[in-house]
Amino acid sequence: MTVHFIGAGPGAADLLTLRAVRLLGAADVCLYAGTYLDRAVLSHCRTDAELVDTQYLDLDAIVDELVRADARGATVARLCSGDPSLYSALTEQTRRLDERGIRWDVTPGVPAYAAAAALLGTELTVPESTQSVVLTRVAGTTRMPATEALAGFARTRATLALHLAIRRTRELAAELTAEYGPDCPVVVVYRATRPEQLIIRGSLADIADRVERAGLRQAAIILVGPVLAATDCAESHLYDPARQRPGRPGPTEAGTR
């Protein structure tokens, strides 16, 4: 059989891909992280499917569940919050499955930063101003490589999308202020797309106070960068009339923005 690692998206049950819904509907066993997942997502599972909440299981215990299910011929769905390519422990799990000769595949999901940007109704890139987005985190239980210091990313003036960092808001705000300045806009999105979602807007000067007053401790993404306040910016060359002369092929998405 196959273990399907499935991106559950940011929380809303209707933001899963069609493939994810199909795989969930066919799964005999579904492992999910109850801490980050809206249980409405589980409505895509069969009523007779075995549901395993992994929030209190360590990695070895989770893999044991996957192995036992596979051994009895069950089709398994392993739900990952957001997209499996980011902070999902995908590599550790698939390495263990490879060692046991168990097949697996991956279905992508809507990442938290994309859901947050959608709620804000904003782009994270702006022509001739900000053309890069850095997806990163701060040091915690997992250490950060020396080459990936937050201040180094900030010097690029890119938009930062910080995961797993909400408990270090005051520390990171102080570090980023030296590069962006205290007035740089910051938006914190808590549990994006879920019924209890919360959006906190501020600046590097006051965002820590706002987050602490709200009591946020997990399941939030922090967006930082001038692009969050951009209103008067250059326009994309993609739709520039000067590029669409008669007889000339229309612009393509690649290399024109």
Side-chain angles (χ1 to χ4, degrees):
M1 305 304 289
T2 302
V3 174
H4 303 288
F5 290 88
I6 299 172
D14 60 352
L15 274 180
L16 274 70
T17 65
L18 294 174
R19 181 183 299 177
V21 171
R22 175 176 58 80
L23 291 174
L24 284 175
D28 303 304
V29 179
C30 177
L31 281 72
Y32 68 98
T35 304
Y36 298 103
L37 187 73
D38 189 336
R39 287 191 64 87
V41 172
L42 301 177
S43 65
H44 296 300
C45 297
R46 300 199 319 258
T47 56
D48 63 338
E50 178 185 352
L51 305 179
V52 180
D53 187 348
T54 62
Q55 63 176 308
Y56 301 116
L57 302 181
D58 63 23
L59 186 60
D60 288 334
I62 291 171
V63 172
D64 286 345
E65 291 282 352
L66 298 176
V67 171
R68 280 195 292 270
D70 180 80
R72 65 176 189 267
T75 298
V76 186
R78 171 60 171 133
L79 280 173
C80 309
S81 61
D83 180 80
S85 67
L86 293 174
Y87 310 117
S88 66
L90 176 69
T91 302
E92 296 97 311
Q93 294 173 78
T94 57
R95 183 170 59 232
R96 286 164 169 79
L97 295 181
D98 286 341
E99 291 170 353
R100 293 164 172 81
I102 296 174
R103 294 186 303 174
W104 54 271
D105 58 28
V106 180
T107 295
V110 176
Y113 77 89
L119 290 173
L120 299 175
T122 188
E123 287 185 85
L124 300 181
T125 58
V126 171
E128 300 181 16
S129 173
T130 302
Q131 289 290 276
S132 300
V133 179
V134 176
L135 310 176
T136 188
R137 58 173 297 172
V138 297
T141 304
T142 299
R143 292 177 295 180
M144 291 294 290
T147 55
E148 297 183 18
L150 203 56
F153 289 135
R155 282 197 233 22
T156 68
R157 309 293 292 174
T159 302
L160 300 186
L162 297 165
H163 296 72
L164 306 171
I166 195 65
R167 298 190 184 192
R168 307 286 289 276
T169 303
R170 188 169 297 280
E171 178 183 325
L172 69 87
E175 185 173 358
L176 293 176
T177 295
E179 302 298 335
Y180 286 113
D183 296 328
C184 179
V186 183
V187 181
V188 172
V189 182
Y190 169 75
R191 295 193 183 277
T193 76
R194 294 180 60 167
E196 65 272 30
Q197 76 178 27
L198 177 66
I199 298 174
I200 301 176
R201 298 175 185 267
S203 66
L204 287 174
D206 63 12
I207 194 63
D209 291 336
R210 295 174 184 270
V211 165
E212 289 170 6
R213 282 198 296 269
L216 303 187
R217 302 287 293 168
Q218 63 178 13
I221 187 165
I222 305 171
L223 301 176
V224 183
V227 70
L228 298 172
T231 55
D232 183 17
C233 56
E235 295 189 347
S236 170
H237 296 296
L238 180 61
Y239 302 111
D240 185 348
R243 296 181 59 87
Q244 302 183 36
R245 296 191 296 270
R248 179 176 179 174
T252 62
E253 291 288 343
T256 57
R257 189 167 174 78

